[in-house]
Amino acid sequence: MSDDDFMQEDEEFDFEYEDDDEEEPDANLENMYYSAKAQKEDNPLQAIKEFAKLVESEQEKSEWGFKALKQTIKIMFKLDMSQETLKTYQNLLTYTKNAVTKNYAEKSINNILDFVSSSQDMQFLESFYSETLVSLEASQNDRLWVKTNLKLAKLLLDRKEFTRLTKILRSLHQSCQKDDGTDFQKKGTLLLEIYALEIQMYTATKNNKKLKSVYQQCLQVKSAIPHPRIMGVIREQGGKMHMSEKDWEMAQTDFFEAFKNYDEAGSPQRIQCLKYLVLANMLMESQINPFDSQETKPYKNDPQIVAMTDLVNAFQRKDVNDFEKILKNNRQTIMDDPFIKDYIDDLLKNIRMQVLVKLLKPYTRIELDYISQELNISIPEVEELLVLLILDEKISGKIDQVQHIVALDRETSDQTRYAALQKWTLAIENLTNNILARG
């Protein structure tokens, strides 16, 4: 949050809550406030001292003391004075009971929480959120309670404290339920935000059973207008779930939806998700270039995406040597992603199988050693690929491990094709006879 945001917030407060029937604010406190505020850019430490004098000079907690503490928190946070910032915030929370209106207090606290959320000190943030929740127990501000718990839940997710995260998510979920325990669909937007956190937790803990259950619940929430970033998270994790099940087509669909949502939200995660989309696209052996769509085309030449673009081109050309070279030369943008790395073996196996089918086409007998040299892999790896192709009925033949050759049965392959045609013809005849019998 910028300085102008804080200034604007104070000015909005003056405008919204000014009441002609009330007495004018203490002119002395007002003068002290603006005098201190004028110093915060050039002399922040002096501004802190002057704001402190204002608070000390109050006869009772007032709006100007609240504003002074807000500005002090901002200055101290910028100066990396973590403990002092937290102590000042604790003091500010005591003002929310009667010094300012409930709406203004809620808006201010929410803005402060957003402002400090950029901190890399996880312990500081946890203390900040915890102090807020303790204060909210007395004020019973449900809306701010939910927002603060969501922030704390995101923090615990980043810290991988899943036991504590589970308890908070359970409390949040209960706030969205009716007395009979069913979900209150009017709180669909909040439900999706909670589900998004749950899905990320189950993805991180590799609990696919619960991940699938929550993912299905997400798709059933209809009465919601969620932020596109939330839907991006849900769809991305859904894509990862489908990838773990090797359902490449469903994964590709989810990654595409996630990419569109992240793009709409302006989230940098769209680039990572686009990489996952390309990965799924290749694993499903699609001949459609994922960069041909109008949504993805603008990112085709993005520095982080160029390597994936080259990878797709090599894949569609079935150039396994170029494919492996691109992987090797772009380790940082491709191989350093743990999720992508998990599927590189599947991807290499996929392109090698395609190249192998093409390589075998003109032959009835071929040496394993020759295939090994062409694909630049060991003979045991060649045998593994051949077994997969035979089992998938993409080729018909036998591996002779004594003579180190594979013998392809072209006649049997033709017979299989004719048998399939005969079966299809018979099915059409049966369908025709059934229609005529009904007529």
Side-chain angles (χ1 to χ4, degrees):
M1 184 180 295
S2 66
D3 294 352
D4 292 339
D5 292 332
F6 267 78
M7 173 69 85
Q8 185 180 8
E9 186 185 329
D10 290 340
E11 288 172 353
E12 285 177 357
F13 173 75
D14 290 340
F15 177 78
E16 288 181 18
Y17 300 102
E18 188 176 36
D19 192 335
D20 293 334
D21 296 334
E22 293 180 2
E23 294 182 1
E24 288 292 321
D26 187 326
N28 186 42
L29 292 177
E30 183 178 2
N31 290 336
M32 290 176 72
Y33 173 78
Y34 285 111
S35 175
K37 191 172 182 180
Q39 304 227 33
K40 71 175 189 176
E41 293 298 335
D42 299 329
N43 195 346
L45 292 176
Q46 183 60 33
I48 290 174
K49 289 179 182 178
E50 293 194 19
F51 281 131
K53 285 180 183 178
L54 186 159
V55 174
E56 289 171 5
S57 64
E58 286 184 302
Q59 293 182 353
E60 60 180 23
K61 288 179 170 60
S62 70
E63 164 199 335
W64 295 107
F66 184 81
K67 289 183 175 183
L69 291 169
K70 271 202 309 177
Q71 294 294 342
T72 303
I73 289 167
K74 184 174 185 244
I75 297 169
M76 287 178 168
F77 181 75
K78 278 188 169 182
L79 295 176
D80 202 21
M81 300 166 64
S82 299
Q83 293 305 313
E84 293 84 350
T85 303
L86 183 58
K87 188 175 180 181
T88 306
Y89 181 63
Q90 290 169 335
N91 192 9
L92 177 136
L93 290 173
T94 64
Y95 279 68
T96 60
K97 295 176 182 177
N98 47 34
V100 292
T101 66
K102 182 178 179 180
N103 286 341
Y104 179 56
E106 178 184 330
K107 180 182 176 183
S108 297
I109 290 173
N110 198 45
N111 285 338
I112 289 171
L113 293 177
D114 285 341
F115 182 72
V116 301
S117 64
S118 61
S119 172
Q120 299 301 310
D121 186 342
M122 298 297 183
Q123 188 58 51
F124 165 76
L125 286 175
E126 184 178 346
S127 299
F128 225 87
Y129 298 149
S130 298
E131 289 292 340
T132 306
L133 291 171
V134 170
S135 174
L136 292 174
E137 286 179 6
S139 63
Q140 295 183 334
N141 189 323
D142 293 339
R143 188 165 54 182
L144 190 54
W145 178 87
V146 167
K147 288 180 180 178
T148 306
N149 266 306
L150 284 172
K151 291 178 187 294
L152 180 56
K154 289 170 187 172
L155 177 68
L156 295 175
L157 179 65
D158 290 339
R159 294 174 65 172
K160 299 187 180 347
E161 294 188 29
F162 299 124
T163 303
R164 293 177 61 197
L165 175 59
T166 302
K167 291 175 67 176
I168 290 175
L169 291 175
R170 190 180 299 120
S171 296
L172 283 166
H173 205 158
Q174 286 172 353
S175 71
C176 298
Q177 290 179 331
K178 301 177 185 176
D179 293 337
D180 61 1
T182 58
D183 288 340
F184 193 40
Q185 288 300 319
K186 286 186 178 180
K187 292 188 176 182
T189 302
L190 174 58
L191 269 171
L192 284 177
E193 196 158 356
I194 297 167
Y195 285 149
L197 289 165
E198 280 191 275
I199 281 177
Q200 290 176 88
M201 178 178 71
Y202 292 138
T203 300
T205 56
K206 301 187 185 303
N207 190 334
N208 273 11
K209 185 178 180 181
K210 288 191 175 180
L211 170 59
K212 200 163 190 174
S213 173
V214 176
Y215 176 74
Q216 293 301 327
Q217 287 176 288
C218 288
L219 299 183
Q220 291 169 12
V221 176
K222 303 298 181 185
S223 58
I225 309 175
H227 191 284
R229 183 186 61 79
I230 298 300
M231 287 310 300
V233 169
I234 291 170
R235 287 293 196 170
E236 180 188 349
Q237 304 308 319
K240 289 180 176 180
M241 174 190 74
H242 291 308
M243 289 285 279
S244 69
E245 298 171 341
K246 298 191 182 299
D247 189 344
W248 315 129
E249 189 170 351
M250 288 297 294
Q252 193 241 22
T253 300
D254 267 347
F255 285 140
F256 185 58
E257 290 301 319
F259 166 76
K260 289 194 294 183
N261 278 288
Y262 282 136
D263 196 31
E264 184 183 345
S267 169
Q269 186 62 16
R270 61 190 165 197
I271 297 297
Q272 206 64 22
C273 213
L274 185 52
K275 291 181 184 180
Y276 300 158
L277 168 62
V278 172
L279 176 67
N281 190 76
M282 288 187 286
L283 285 169
M284 65 183 282
E285 300 181 30
S286 173
Q287 294 306 307
I288 299 172
N289 193 315
F291 295 103
D292 285 345
S293 74
Q294 64 180 39
E295 291 91 351
T296 58
K297 193 175 288 183
Y299 298 95
K300 187 174 183 178
N301 297 317
D302 186 285
Q304 295 185 61
I305 293 297
V306 168
M308 296 301 285
T309 309
D310 294 341
L311 209 59
V312 170
N313 291 334
F315 183 85
Q316 293 187 334
R317 293 196 314 270
K318 297 181 174 56
D319 187 337
V320 68
N321 293 325
D322 194 27
F323 191 88
E324 290 179 339
K325 184 179 177 182
I326 293 166
L327 286 176
K328 184 178 179 181
N329 293 340
N330 295 275
R331 180 167 293 278
Q332 187 173 359
T333 53
I334 301 176
M335 297 291 283
D336 282 358
D337 184 309
F339 179 73
I340 293 178
K341 191 175 181 180
D342 282 346
Y343 293 95
I344 289 299
D345 286 344
D346 287 311
L347 202 53
L348 284 169
K349 189 179 293 181
N350 196 316
I351 189 171
R352 284 168 179 162
M353 286 172 70
Q354 290 189 50
V355 172
L356 183 52
V357 169
K358 184 180 177 182
L359 184 65
L360 295 174
K361 203 165 188 180
Y363 298 99
T364 54
R365 291 163 65 87
I366 186 170
E367 292 182 356
L368 299 182
D369 188 55
Y370 175 71
I371 298 173
S372 173
Q373 291 175 24
E374 287 294 309
L375 297 182
N376 195 28
I377 56 175
S378 66
I379 288 179
E381 287 176 305
V382 170
E383 291 176 347
E384 183 185 349
L385 292 178
L386 287 168
V387 168
L388 288 172
L389 288 172
I390 292 168
L391 291 174
D392 291 344
E393 297 184 355
K394 291 183 178 179
I395 63 170
S396 180
K398 294 180 180 180
I399 303 169
D400 187 333
Q401 291 181 314
V402 176
Q403 297 186 42
H404 291 286
I405 62 168
V406 57
L408 299 165
D409 190 349
R410 298 298 179 191
E411 185 181 354
T412 305
S413 178
D414 289 339
Q415 287 175 349
T416 303
R417 206 163 28 247
Y418 292 140
L421 286 170
Q422 189 176 10
K423 188 176 180 182
W424 182 51
T425 305
L426 184 61
I428 292 174
E429 287 178 357
N430 289 336
L431 179 62
T432 305
N433 291 334
N434 286 336
I435 293 171
L436 291 173
R438 289 177 186 174

